[in-house]
Amino acid sequence: MFAKITLAFLSFFLMTCSDKAEPEPEPINCSTAICTLNFVTITVSVEDATGDAVSLDNFEVIDTATGENLAESTTAEEYHNDQGIYPIISDAYRKKYQNKTATLLFNGFIGDEKVVSEEFEIGADCCHVSLIAGNRTIVLD
C-alpha cells in the first residue's frame, strides 16, 4: 500500500515538471515611477600601493557589447584626475541601460601605456544607474 501511494506521488511530481523556459518578465513601466532628483555618477578611484591617488593622462569606458566609448567626450583633466577619481557611468545613460545590464571596461593610460583595465557590470532602473559588480577602488602595483 505504501509503495502504491509513493508511486502515485512520484508520478504526479514527474508529470508536473516541464521543460518549458520561464517566460521573460514584462518590461517595467517607468511612467509612474517616482524618482529622486539626485543625479547619480558611478566612479572608480585609482591609487598606488601606498594609497596615493594616481593621475591618469587619459581613460576610456568601453561598452563591451557595442564597442562604444562612453567617456569619449570626457577628458581626465575635466574630471578629478588629481584625486584619482574617474567616472564609469552616470544617469545621462540611464535610458540606454534601463532595465538591462551591461559590461563596461575601464581602461586608464599614463602616456601611451595602458596601466588600468577593469571590468564593471552596470544596470539601470527607472530612476538611476547602478553598479552591480566591479571593484570601485583599483590599486596599481
Side-chain angles (χ1 to χ4, degrees), residues 79-106:
Y79 218 73
H80 302 287
N81 71 330
D82 59 330
Q83 298 171 16
I85 300 172
Y86 304 91
I88 301 296
I89 193 161
S90 72
D91 278 347
Y93 290 96
R94 178 194 54 83
K95 284 187 179 180
K96 179 176 182 166
Y97 295 106
Q98 185 173 309
N99 301 322
K100 299 183 220 172
T101 61
T103 301
L104 304 180
L105 181 63
F106 176 82

Side-chain angles (χ1 to χ4, degrees), residues 16-17 25 41-42 44 50 53 55-56 72 74 81 94 114-115 117-118 120 126-127 133 137:
T16 59
C17 292
T41 300
I42 297 170
V44 62
T50 64
S55 292
L56 301 173
E72 192 169 45
T74 307
N81 71 330
R94 178 194 54 83
K114 185 189 299 186
V115 295
S117 186
E118 191 82 22
F120 296 87
C126 293
C127 300
T137 301

Side-chain angles (χ1 to χ4, degrees), residues 13-138:
F13 287 119
L14 289 175
M15 289 181 0
T16 59
C17 292
S18 173
D19 289 339
K20 293 180 184 176
E22 290 289 321
E24 289 196 25
E26 291 289 322
I28 297 171
N29 179 359
C30 292
S31 64
T32 59
I34 300 173
C35 301
T36 64
L37 296 178
N38 296 345
F39 187 83
V40 174
T41 300
I42 297 170
T43 60
V44 62
S45 65
V46 181
E47 56 188 47
D48 63 19
T50 64
D52 293 331
V54 173
S55 292
L56 301 173
D57 294 329
N58 200 3
F59 70 97
E60 58 188 16
V61 180
I62 306 296
D63 182 325
T64 59
T66 65
E68 178 185 5
N69 182 2
L70 303 181
E72 192 169 45
S73 64
T74 307
T75 64
E77 294 84 31
E78 288 178 320
Y79 218 73
H80 302 287
N81 71 330
D82 59 330
Q83 298 171 16
I85 300 172
Y86 304 91
I88 301 296
I89 193 161
S90 72
D91 278 347
Y93 290 96
R94 178 194 54 83
K95 284 187 179 180
K96 179 176 182 166
Y97 295 106
Q98 185 173 309
N99 301 322
K100 299 183 220 172
T101 61
T103 301
L104 304 180
L105 181 63
F106 176 82
N107 294 317
F109 302 88
I110 295 178
D112 291 332
E113 182 183 354
K114 185 189 299 186
V115 295
V116 175
S117 186
E118 191 82 22
E119 277 193 358
F120 296 87
E121 187 177 355
I122 60 94
D125 58 17
C126 293
C127 300
H128 302 290
V129 294
S130 61
L131 179 65
I132 298 168
N135 204 359
R136 294 201 51 185
T137 301
I138 301 170

